[in-house]
Amino acid sequence: MDAQSSAKMNTRKRRKEVPGPNGAAEEDGISSKMPRCAVGLQQPAPFSDEIEVDLSKPYVRVTMEEASRGTPCDRPVRVYADGIFDLFHCGHARALMQAKNLFPNTYLIVGVCSDELTHNFKGFTVMNENERYDAVQHCRYVDEVVRNAPWTLTPEFLAEHRIDFVAHDDIPYSSAGSDDVYKHIKEAGMFAPTQRTEGISTSDIITRIVRDYDVYARRNLQRGYTAKELNVSFINEKKYHLQERVDKVKKKVKDVEEKSKEFVQKVEEKSIDLIQKWEEKSREFIGSFLEMFGPEGALKHMLKEGKGRMLQAISPKQSPSSSPTRERSPSPSFRWPFSGKTSPPSSPANLSRHKAAAYDIRYSYLKEDKFGSYILLAQVH
């Protein structure tokens, strides 16, 4: 097998030649991106008994060296791979992919054993032969499918299908009274080994189902299958239904617990935010209150200023002492109650006497007492 064929087999690990984000080429293990390609197979692979074979050309096998070097387009290397292919899975697909990429120009023929042979030599299958034929037909790497393939390959079968090489993993396959059913193929130099995919096989899948049988039985009961179809007894059916109800209750309780935790967490977060906002607003309110009503607040200054303006408005302005005195016009007089009643003067002498006895108010002013109240004081003459 040359470098070209091995490079094709190693499809999952490629070296990316273009520089990476840091300017260096990416190492193996990081798959490079491929351009989008819409070309694909539109029809399943045909069966061998449906293909017309040109018998005019003689069948001459190619050697491993010739196959690795490459053959003409009209003479591909005919590779045969056989198996049961029950519950067709990725391990089967990878094995067929390796067989298809053994040589540059490969025509892959896949043989599928019938139910009769499989049940006799290996055991009961989950899928019947027609289902297994159909599954292999729709694998993209397959070019031809052989139905009712033989358990042991004979020279006549190899010549009939013009097979050049047989592909299979190189682990000895003991069956039908033989230590290795591919022993004669290996001795003839027609064996091309492939690698098994670890962790996946038909037996592994069946083991998973058997191990978790109750889970899958309950699953199918939920999806509408009857207990009779699942071969489940009446008691087990009721048990599965009860388990399903219990699981639903557990799930609801778990959901409620999770929602409660989320709610409590949200309440705590909101309470913390509210407390912080309340502290900020309370500081602002206290500061504003002190600015207005504190010892040196704005209200005290406003009262002092208003008091000064009130006194200034009520108090008369003092006239200069040097200014000439002017005769004041007569003004209404306020007489004290104890002054008694007086009759209007009948002569100038009587008028002067009444002026001396009367107490006339010339002006008044406000004065603050010790209790902070204002009293009206009158200046009398």
Side-chain angles (χ1 to χ4, degrees), residues 86-99:
D86 191 21
L87 298 176
F88 192 89
H89 51 76
C90 62
H92 296 141
R94 289 182 181 278
L96 298 179
M97 179 188 68
Q98 294 178 52

Side-chain angles (χ1 to χ4, degrees), residues 362-379:
R362 300 301 181 188
Y363 62 92
S364 61
Y365 62 94
L366 292 174
K367 182 179 180 181
E368 183 178 5
D369 62 1
K370 63 180 180 179
F371 300 105
S373 301
Y374 291 93
I375 60 176
L376 177 65
L377 297 180
Q379 183 70 33

Side-chain angles (χ1 to χ4, degrees), residues 134-154:
D134 190 66
V136 174
Q137 267 190 301
H138 289 82
C139 180
R140 63 183 300 179
Y141 309 110
V142 179
D143 297 306
E144 183 180 331
V145 177
V146 178
R147 291 181 284 194
N148 193 17
W151 198 261
T152 302
L153 301 179
T154 61

